[in-house]
Amino acid sequence: MSQDRGAVELENVTKRYGSVVAVDHLSLSIRSGEFVSLLGPSGCGKTTTLRMLAGFEQPDEGFIRISGQYVQGIPPYKRDVNTVFQHYALFPHMTVNENVAYGLRQKGVNKSDIATRVAEALDMVQMSKLADRKPRQMSGGQQQRVAVARALVNRPSVLLLDEPLGALDRKLREEMQIELKLLQSRLGITFVFVTHDQEEAMSMSDRIAIMLDGHIEQLGDPETVYEHPASAFVAGFIGRNNFWSGVATEHGARADDGTEFVASRPEEDVPNGQGALAAVRPESINLSVERPNDTNNAFQGTVAGVSHFGDVLQYVVHTADRDVLVLTPRANASRLYAGDSVWARWSADDVYLFSSRQADIVLAEADEVSDE
Ligand SMILES: Nc1ncnc2c1ncn2[C@@H]1O[C@H](COP(=O)(O)OP(=O)(O)OP(=O)(O)O)[C@@H](O)[C@H]1O
Ligand SMILES: [Mg+2]
């Protein structure tokens, strides 16, 4: 069992609330010491999955093992896990020290052990200096560090984190991302980290489980899910993508608006003549005023807008049917202005093709993805 310490396994886990299937036959195997994010839109079942690991909810079907042990019927406080919530849930009338010590006191741990362990946990999150403060005397980031210390004081081998940085402003959030990741690799604890922020998941995780409607659409390391999205939904959720619907052809797809896509990667899933969805990332598209020799993987449009984001320029290129997003490093950009007529093109390596059975999903989720 000791070599499994920190391993987490879900086998075919289902959880229903009345007629709602919150988690739908989900299987996931997390290695000891791994940082895995559960990423997905609101309502896809992230929190429910975490609450089943924590023991606050019981699966209707399937099994969960933590550190090699089946946990069915085992109450939360006896599991080898601790949870950090989005709203730190610190006791407002207690000092940092007392907040972190609380759980150990409840368990009847002796005083000197409590003192040692609390000091150790506060040291881990660099909060020793503020041990005597009350929550209202601290920033959001500091309070969140205390919440992490309070979870770590029990020395769990798995830490469950449910949108722990969701309440922080952007800058603090980015600092805490780095801090948490460093802490995780230093302690070697397994982290199961829930977020709906794809950049956060990409920057912190060893692997990401992208969830939709209670199941995992794709599980993989950040590079794989970005480079090889398993579905149109993943392609739209990880990074950004432009989508065209159309029909699969021998070499790729013909979009409804007439754009011809030639793809270099083999697509077993999309039979010739059937509904297809082509996707090209904004950063894979090049703009120029000249008409290319080959008008496959290209279309003509009008620059509708230019935005500056540091060293990247974002163009919106408008055609009769749609707007297409293009991102260009400032250094490479030739000057283009709103109203300019341009050709957009991309290489066959940058074309993703999906069966259009998934088109509905993309369109349905698009709003949620962009609202953040
Ligand atoms: N206690 C409950 N009773 C009834 N339905 C619930 C309950 N908890 C969750 N659900 C439903 O289960 C589904 C999954 O909810 P869950 O909280 O796991 O989503 P989530 O991925 O954490 O979403 P969010 O990003 O908004 O936190 C949703 O449809 C939700 O409405
Ligand atoms: Mg949630």
Side-chain angles (χ1 to χ4, degrees):
M1 150 155 179
S2 67
Q3 91 241 22
D4 285 339
R5 212 166 166 227
V8 174
E9 282 155 277
L10 296 110
E11 283 174 38
N12 232 1
V13 169
T14 294
K15 175 71 188 175
R16 296 184 197 89
Y17 296 106
S19 62
V20 175
V21 185
V23 174
D24 193 3
H25 297 92
L26 183 143
S27 296
L28 174 62
S29 204
I30 299 173
R31 293 184 285 270
S32 176
E34 200 176 11
F35 192 126
V36 169
S37 291
L38 307 182
L39 172 69
S42 188
C44 71
K46 305 180 295 293
T47 294
T48 306
T49 303
L50 217 62
R51 289 176 59 81
M52 288 191 286
L53 293 176
F56 301 127
E57 300 281 358
Q58 302 305 319
D60 295 313
E61 287 173 41
F63 296 97
I64 296 174
R65 274 191 298 186
I66 295 170
S67 296
Q69 187 187 23
Y70 283 100
V71 292
Q72 198 158 2
I74 297 181
Y77 64 93
K78 286 195 177 157
R79 297 190 179 194
D80 198 7
V81 303
N82 260 101
T83 309
V84 180
F85 299 97
Q86 173 168 2
H87 299 286
Y88 340 113
L90 299 177
F91 299 113
H93 57 288
M94 291 186 192
T95 64
V96 165
N97 245 328
E98 290 161 350
N99 263 288
V100 177
Y102 182 81
L104 298 178
R105 286 218 180 98
Q106 293 296 100
K107 280 189 190 164
V109 175
N110 75 56
K111 270 198 170 152
S112 75
D113 282 353
I114 292 181
T116 314
R117 284 169 65 173
V118 169
E120 175 192 280
L122 288 177
D123 188 45
M124 285 176 199
V125 296
Q126 292 155 31
M127 285 295 292
S128 310
K129 285 193 183 137
L130 304 188
D132 296 322
R133 294 238 186 129
K134 300 246 171 92
R136 70 184 141 75
Q137 300 167 313
M138 296 185 297
S139 72
Q142 290 167 337
Q143 292 183 51
Q144 192 53 288
R145 271 186 279 239
V146 176
V148 171
R150 196 176 51 177
L152 289 174
V153 79
N154 296 307
R155 297 176 179 158
S157 41
V158 180
L159 204 59
L160 308 173
L161 303 103
D162 194 352
E163 309 236 11
L165 309 181
L168 306 180
D169 68 41
R170 190 189 167 94
K171 186 159 177 293
L172 196 52
R173 192 182 170 108
E174 285 170 358
E175 283 168 21
M176 286 293 292
Q177 286 170 0
I178 295 167
E179 245 175 64
L180 270 182
K181 178 67 196 167
L182 286 174
L183 183 70
Q184 189 264 344
S185 30
R186 193 150 49 82
L187 300 180
I189 295 180
T190 309
F191 270 37
V192 186
F193 187 93
V194 163
T195 180
H196 63 267
D197 178 339
Q198 56 105 4
E199 284 181 24
E200 183 163 286
M202 291 289 276
S203 69
M204 297 176 81
S205 317
D206 297 318
R207 287 190 300 164
I208 304 174
I210 296 139
M211 292 179 63
L212 176 67
D213 293 341
H215 69 267
I216 295 176
E217 280 275 297
Q218 186 170 9
L219 172 68
D221 59 72
E223 191 180 325
T224 303
V225 296
Y226 184 86
E227 298 280 346
H228 306 287
S231 67
F233 172 74
V234 174
F237 203 80
I238 298 286
R240 297 160 91 178
N241 248 311
N242 297 293
F243 289 95
W244 284 259
S245 65
V247 172
T249 60
E250 195 183 337
H251 303 290
R254 179 171 308 120
D256 299 334
D257 67 6
T259 309
E260 288 283 348
F261 292 85
V262 177
S264 58
R265 63 190 90 215
E267 300 295 340
E268 320 79 57
D269 283 6
V270 198
N272 204 343
Q274 301 222 349
L277 206 59
V280 182
R281 292 198 182 275
E283 58 271 33
S284 305
I285 301 180
N286 293 303
L287 297 180
S288 89
V289 290
E290 270 134 60
R291 182 192 171 89
N293 295 330
D294 179 0
T295 54
N296 290 327
N297 290 335
F299 69 86
Q300 190 174 25
T302 308
V303 174
V306 189
S307 318
H308 296 254
F309 294 102
D311 50 4
V312 174
L313 292 178
Q314 175 183 294
Y315 294 98
V316 176
V317 179
H318 183 73
T319 70
D321 297 277
R322 54 176 303 132
D323 287 333
V324 173
L325 203 59
V326 178
L327 293 173
T328 309
R330 180 188 294 280
N332 302 358
S334 52
R335 291 284 130 188
L336 294 168
Y337 301 94
D340 285 354
S341 173
V342 289
W343 279 89
R345 55 198 175 93
W346 53 89
S347 93
D349 291 341
D350 295 320
V351 177
Y352 296 95
L353 289 178
F354 303 101
S355 140
S356 70
R357 275 164 292 150
Q358 285 153 345
D360 306 338
I361 296 173
V362 176
L363 299 177
E365 301 294 342
D367 291 346
E368 271 181 296
V369 175
S370 58
D371 88 15
E372 231 279 69

